[in-house]
Amino acid sequence: MNSFLKKIAKTAYNLGDHNDPLNAVLAIAIFKGINRPIFTMMDKESDPKTKKYAAFREGLTEVIAALTYVATNKALVGPLTKFLHKKTGGHEGRIKNALEFVCVCLSAVCIIPAVCNIALNPVMNGVQKLQNKKAGKGSVSKLDIKETVVDEKPAAMHALPERTVVAGPNSLLTGLQLKYTQNIGGNMKVGG
């Protein structure tokens, strides 16, 4: 039992000495890339084609995220650390840690959404074409999303008399809720 505890302690010390933001976000991206598609596929009420599409897209998004984190870290941290160390004379390790954190934030806020916007649609269309070729179809079938038609008439709007004043801390909200009723019955239907 002692050797097992020593291995845990050594692992903890190593992680503490070499812990940087890139390790944390890569671990998160890996777990999300595995678990999100699994939980999407476990949904028993969804259409199987829709589930497969969504699961593949979620997994691909996390692969793009992990690759983007690594690429921005490798491309920016080293050169910027050397440059700032020469210019400021600051502690190189602290500059590197700060730049790793900035690169992770920059990737999450700007670069990953931009790369996903550019890359996901062509990749998903290519996968769709490959699936259609395997099935013997010549054209690309799109996911059919339709809004269901509700036959009932929308609820009439009831207005408050002009001189009614609602007072209190939520007076605006209460006044709007009394003035307009909800339109019940607008669903979305996915699939055929």
Side-chain angles (χ1 to χ4, degrees), residues 97-166:
N97 288 342
L99 287 175
E100 286 174 344
F101 178 72
V102 169
C103 282
V104 164
C105 293
L106 177 70
S107 294
V109 171
C110 298
I111 299 172
I112 292 171
V115 171
C116 284
N117 249 355
I118 293 168
L120 277 179
N121 284 337
V123 170
M124 296 306 291
N125 288 339
V127 169
Q128 192 88 26
K129 285 179 185 178
L130 284 175
Q131 287 178 343
N132 288 340
K133 281 185 181 179
K134 283 184 179 180
K137 298 176 186 175
S139 64
V140 176
S141 65
K142 298 288 183 179
L143 189 61
D144 187 22
I145 299 176
K146 297 177 184 176
E147 189 171 330
T148 58
V149 178
V150 179
D151 292 336
E152 58 188 69
K153 295 180 182 176
M157 291 192 185
H158 304 287
L160 287 173
E162 292 295 321
R163 298 183 188 250
T164 303
V165 177
V166 179

Side-chain angles (χ1 to χ4, degrees), residues 31-93:
F31 285 116
K32 282 173 62 178
I34 294 169
N35 291 330
R36 289 180 92 175
I38 288 173
F39 288 123
T40 300
M41 292 303 290
M42 288 171 53
D43 183 11
K44 301 212 185 280
E45 296 177 10
S46 295
D47 178 48
K49 282 186 177 180
T50 305
K51 286 193 303 189
K52 288 177 187 175
Y53 179 88
F56 182 72
R57 189 174 177 104
E58 287 171 351
L60 184 60
T61 300
E62 294 307 322
V63 168
I64 290 171
L67 293 175
T68 305
Y69 285 132
V70 171
T72 54
N73 194 344
K74 298 298 179 195
L76 297 177
V77 172
L80 284 176
T81 300
K82 291 176 185 174
F83 174 75
L84 290 174
H85 178 65
K86 286 179 185 176
K87 291 292 183 183
T88 63
H91 188 266
E92 190 172 0

